[in-house]
Amino acid sequence: MPAILTKCAAFCGVILAVVGTFAPGSEANASDAELYGRSREVDSLVISPDGTQIAYLFTENGETSLVVQPIDGSGGIKVAGGELKLRYVEWSGPNHVLLFASETQGIYFYRSIDLEFWGVFSVDVRTGEIIQMLARNRALDFQGSLANVRAKTWDEDGTIYMAARTSKDGRRTPGVGVAGYAPGTVDLYEVDGNSGRGNRIAKGSENTDAWIVRPSGQVVARVDHFDKSDRYRILAPEGGMLGRSWEVIFSEETSVPNMTIYGTTSDEEDLVIGTRLTTDRYALFNMPVSNGKISDTALFEHEFVDISSVIKDEYTGNIVGAELVYAGREQEFFHSRFVAVRNAVKGAMPDSYRVFIESWDQSYERFVIYAESDTDSGIYLLLDVTDGDLRLLSRAYPEIGEEQLSPVRPFFYKTRDGFSLQGYLTIPKDAPEGPLPLVVMPHGGPESRDELGYNWWQQFIASRGYAIVQMNFRGSWGYGTGFSAAGFREWGGKMQDDVTDAVQHLIDDGWADPERICIVGGSYGGYAALAGAALTPDLYTCAASYSGVTDLREMLAWERDRYGRDSSRYEYWVSRIGEPSDELDQKSPAKIADNITADILLIHGKDDTVVDIEQSEIMAEALEEAGKPVTFVELDGEDHWLSSEETRIQMLELLDDFLMKNLGPGVNQPTRAALQ
């Protein structure tokens, strides 16, 4: 079994301690890499259902713990995370907090591969007792996640509803791929927050992807997706009652699902779905459970951009708003209560702040607010609507103040074939006018996007005196179906041209020094960095990749071998990259390493489960054989997301030296210049 299911003895050592208001432990001698590379000191801060306590993740000296304390800071409990990566926190009742965590583990009896295993732990805030949910259910099958929480009852026992795969023969199977293995069914469990034991209340199929259940325990629907036959189905209990047969209310043939079900309307008669099936932009629609027909009119649709997520009131199960990104993250609420709260807080804050409602109590009297601006890296506030009191709870990054932040300017530019794309230019604080040394930072994904908001990697580079450009090239998320599809099979093609055109735009406008440009990125951004060095060698002095893809054919083979040729995951990547072919080789940096003239830095986490470290090994070998300059650094114990504070700092230090070596000192950096 993966360690996350068996290490409770090590993890469950709860540290009980009096917890006051945490003051920043500033270090006058801290390097810039240490300052910007540190994890958020306070993260995932949420208020209890009765409005008297807060729970959050607290990181100190690289160690992250769960803290639960009264809102007046008078005491509380602190739960150490140990070797697990603590990801986020939720309340599940007046006495219980849910702690979501993950751990990288190898599956050596299947193939020598690593997976990121997820679990959820219930913490009794009265005693500090902690238990992993569903870990004691012996009938559960091998699976990568035991953290699929579908709803909460909000009772005294912290009862929740979870989806989990049940073994066909009532006992755990060692792993997928074992001879004779037959996957079990994905079922719905009611799980007690005190014992962690679950009672199966609804049975799905081996292809069930999701369950839709209300806080009352009413099972509204389930979703099945069949990889091999490319069928996507939504089923509802016949007559609305479990124990009868299931009725298919929606069916579609697709290799990659085109919709997400977020919940239901308050009367439980309609599902609330997100889809692009009937509009160019990703929008919210109603789907009556009675007939499965998508409504003609959107429940919510933005004029220009996609919905990025929904805001759910977990006490009722209702969808009360949506989030989107235009220049930066924004919230739109459907309920007047939340609109009034957001408007009141925005009215009390300076205009430069972006304000978000993060959580609230069950009586809707106390709200946790998160706010940030170009001069503030993030603060948590508490609003009490009964007396209008708005007060500071904590800073996300206490040591990152206005003096450590460089301004970010959104801009638009035209591509060579007429697309209008959004970009972001970060100018080092107090930089002089004139062409600046430039670092180009394409984002990962690639179906992700850049936006306004504090970015530790970007702000570190700016602190060293370099300008940074980020761009949402075609294929990025957020601008509609047509924009996303324009990036399909354009790795190393038009997507790369969009990066090049952003750089040329800044050169033409006098922002960038054409002799001092480096391209840096992670994941797909790492691919784009190396592709930029190989496909446009005259543009870049250097290129740095963290966990980047370097050989597209090998990357597709790795996905096929792990998940199967018929899997939706493999078909997704083929649809985005293309079929394995000689043409892909000409877009693979490792295959065209002879073209590269720039200095190359490769960094890769040894525990990366998304892009195998072999990708960087292949690139390093190709560059060495071609006689090109390359530095390859492996980060021990690091995953795809740079989760460890220690290795984040190590990565920034490596990048700092690399940029200094190739671009020279940035603006306003006399001490660095003197040291060379």
Side-chain angles (χ1 to χ4, degrees):
M1 296 303 296
I4 198 169
L5 302 181
T6 59
K7 281 192 174 179
C8 194
F11 181 77
C12 291
V14 177
I15 300 174
L16 294 176
V18 175
V19 178
T21 301
F22 290 104
S26 61
E27 296 178 21
N29 300 336
S31 69
D32 280 355
E34 292 172 327
L35 187 67
Y36 292 94
R38 288 174 180 157
S39 303
R40 287 174 66 130
E41 185 170 284
V42 173
D43 197 8
S44 189
L45 193 154
V46 286
I47 195 166
S48 61
D50 62 7
T52 64
Q53 300 183 84
I54 53 174
Y56 55 92
L57 298 181
F58 177 69
T59 301
E60 186 175 36
N61 298 323
E63 300 295 327
T64 302
S65 302
L66 164 68
V67 174
V68 184
Q69 64 183 150
I71 58 174
D72 62 6
S74 59
I77 63 170
K78 185 178 180 182
V79 179
E83 296 180 0
L84 292 178
K85 305 169 195 175
L86 307 190
R87 300 298 189 179
Y88 60 96
V89 177
E90 297 177 356
W91 287 86
S92 58
N95 305 319
H96 296 83
V97 164
L98 296 178
L99 177 60
F100 293 79
S102 73
E103 186 176 41
T104 309
Q105 287 292 314
I107 313 299
Y108 301 109
F109 45 74
Y110 169 37
R111 295 188 187 96
S112 294
I113 62 172
D114 289 340
L115 293 175
E116 194 74 11
F117 289 94
W118 281 73
V120 58
F121 300 81
S122 179
V123 180
D124 190 320
V125 301
R126 299 163 298 186
T127 64
E129 183 180 1
I130 182 170
I131 186 98
Q132 185 178 353
M133 303 295 264
L134 281 181
R136 297 181 179 181
N137 280 56
R138 298 183 61 82
L140 292 189
D141 206 347
F142 175 92
Q143 50 204 297
S145 174
L146 274 181
N148 192 353
V149 178
R150 305 305 306 171
K152 306 160 187 174
T153 67
W154 300 103
D155 63 9
E156 295 287 329
D157 296 324
T159 305
I160 61 175
Y161 297 100
M162 293 178 64
R165 189 175 292 278
T166 308
S167 173
K168 281 184 177 296
D169 59 6
R171 58 187 177 85
R172 289 175 176 152
T173 307
V176 180
V178 175
Y181 170 76
T185 56
V186 179
D187 303 331
L188 185 66
Y189 286 82
E190 183 180 64
V191 190
D192 180 77
N194 295 312
S195 67
R197 295 188 181 277
N199 175 44
R200 185 168 64 178
I201 62 171
K203 186 176 180 180
S205 73
E206 67 181 59
N207 299 291
T208 296
D209 265 3
W211 289 90
I212 295 83
V213 57
R214 301 275 299 179
S216 63
Q218 175 67 33
V219 179
V220 182
R222 83 171 202 240
V223 178
D224 289 357
H225 181 238
F226 301 77
D227 272 348
K228 292 184 179 179
S229 59
D230 292 342
R231 281 187 301 153
Y232 176 88
R233 303 192 309 180
I234 302 174
L235 305 92
E238 184 181 2
M241 299 290 291
L242 284 176
R244 301 180 182 180
S245 61
W246 290 88
E247 178 185 4
V248 178
I249 64 170
F250 179 87
S251 182
E252 178 189 24
E253 289 191 12
T254 178
S255 58
V256 180
N258 291 307
M259 68 175 62
T260 299
I261 303 179
Y262 291 111
T264 66
T265 52
S266 57
D267 57 12
E268 302 181 15
E269 293 185 359
D270 290 359
L271 301 174
V272 177
I273 68 167
T275 185
R276 287 172 169 169
L277 283 176
T278 62
T279 181
D280 179 65
R281 286 169 302 282
Y282 191 80
L284 300 181
F285 293 85
N286 286 357
M287 175 187 284
V289 177
S290 59
N291 59 30
K293 184 179 183 299
I294 301 173
S295 60
D296 295 329
T297 304
L299 174 65
F300 180 75
E301 178 181 14
H302 192 270
E303 183 178 1
F304 301 112
V305 296
D306 294 320
I307 302 302
S308 57
S309 62
V310 301
I311 306 169
K312 189 173 185 177
D313 183 355
E314 292 194 281
Y315 301 121
T316 64
N318 299 336
I319 308 301
V320 296
E323 291 199 349
L324 54 93
V325 179
Y326 193 52
R329 174 186 167 205
E330 300 177 14
Q331 289 183 326
E332 295 287 344
F333 288 97
F334 314 144
H335 195 292
S336 59
R337 172 189 292 124
F338 297 95
V339 173
V341 167
R342 182 197 58 193
N343 291 345
V345 176
K346 290 186 72 172
M349 302 283 291
D351 291 340
S352 60
Y353 276 86
R354 297 177 292 275
V355 172
F356 312 102
I357 301 176
E358 295 291 290
S359 70
W360 50 90
D361 66 3
Q362 205 161 4
S363 63
Y364 307 99
E365 293 180 349
R366 288 177 169 173
F367 292 78
V368 170
I369 308 295
Y370 184 75
E372 63 180 7
S373 72
D374 285 346
T375 58
D376 194 324
S377 56
I379 54 176
Y380 287 99
L381 304 163
L382 179 68
L383 172 68
D384 191 325
V385 299
T386 59
D387 57 15
D389 181 46
L390 179 67
R391 63 184 180 90
L392 177 69
L393 285 174
S394 179
R395 295 191 174 276
Y397 298 91
E399 296 175 0
I400 303 292
E402 182 176 356
E403 291 303 312
Q404 286 77 36
L405 294 175
S406 296
V408 183
R409 305 178 182 181
F411 69 96
F412 286 89
Y413 68 98
K414 286 286 188 181
T415 67
R416 65 192 68 184
D417 57 349
F419 265 74
S420 180
L421 301 183
Q422 190 172 36
Y424 300 86
L425 178 63
T426 304
I427 304 296
K429 190 175 181 65
D430 301 324
E433 293 185 6
L436 302 171
L438 180 70
V439 174
V440 183
M441 288 190 69
H443 62 69
E447 286 190 77
S448 178
R449 62 158 295 156
D450 280 314
E451 62 188 74
L452 291 177
Y454 177 73
N455 179 312
W456 59 274
W457 195 348
Q458 160 201 341
Q459 287 292 334
F460 168 76
I461 294 173
S463 78
R464 312 314 284 154
Y466 307 113
I468 302 100
V469 63
Q470 300 160 283
M471 71 296 295
N472 290 324
F473 41 79
R474 72 194 76 188
S476 299
W477 169 262
Y479 300 92
T481 304
F483 190 86
S484 292
F488 291 178
R489 304 194 175 202
E490 291 293 344
W491 287 47
K494 292 178 181 178
M495 293 167 72
Q496 195 68 38
D497 291 342
D498 293 345
V499 177
T500 305
D501 292 346
V503 178
Q504 192 61 52
H505 172 81
L506 294 180
I507 293 174
D508 294 343
D509 275 9
W511 284 108
D513 180 348
E515 302 301 320
R516 302 174 69 192
I517 301 176
C518 188
I519 183 167
V520 176
S523 194
Y524 174 83
Y527 164 82
L530 297 172
L535 297 170
T536 52
D538 296 335
L539 190 58
Y540 300 112
T541 302
C542 57
S545 164
Y546 175 75
S547 292
V549 176
T550 70
D551 187 322
L552 297 178
R553 195 195 292 252
E554 284 298 319
M555 185 263 194
L556 289 172
W558 186 70
E559 294 285 352
R560 181 199 62 214
D561 292 344
R562 286 185 67 159
Y563 299 101
R565 185 179 295 275
D566 295 327
S567 68
S568 58
R569 184 181 176 106
Y570 178 69
E571 292 186 16
Y572 169 86
W573 285 117
V574 168
S575 71
R576 268 54 173 181
I577 296 175
E579 295 285 350
S581 65
D582 293 341
E583 182 182 356
L584 287 191
D585 290 345
Q586 297 308 305
K587 298 178 179 181
S588 298
K591 297 294 186 182
I592 51 176
D594 284 338
N595 295 350
I596 293 175
T597 58
D599 194 5
I600 302 297
L601 173 63
L602 303 172
I603 307 174
H604 214 118
K606 288 186 177 180
D607 287 352
D608 195 327
T609 59
V610 178
V611 177
D612 191 71
I613 195 171
E614 183 184 22
Q615 287 287 317
S616 288
E617 294 169 346
I618 291 170
M619 189 70 199
E621 182 178 353
L623 288 166
E624 289 169 355
E625 289 180 354
K628 307 295 182 176
V630 59
T631 301
F632 177 32
V633 179
E634 301 178 10
L635 300 182
D636 291 332
E638 188 50 84
D639 56 28
H640 190 68
W641 307 279
L642 284 166
S643 298
S644 166
E645 184 176 289
E646 180 181 354
T647 47
R648 278 167 58 146
I649 294 170
Q650 182 184 354
M651 186 276 290
L652 292 183
E653 290 173 341
L654 289 165
L655 183 60
D656 190 18
D657 292 341
F658 183 72
L659 293 175
M660 184 64 172
K661 170 187 172 185
N662 288 281
L663 299 184
V667 297
N668 300 331
Q669 294 291 320
T671 48
R672 295 184 76 216
L675 291 173
Q676 299 304 306

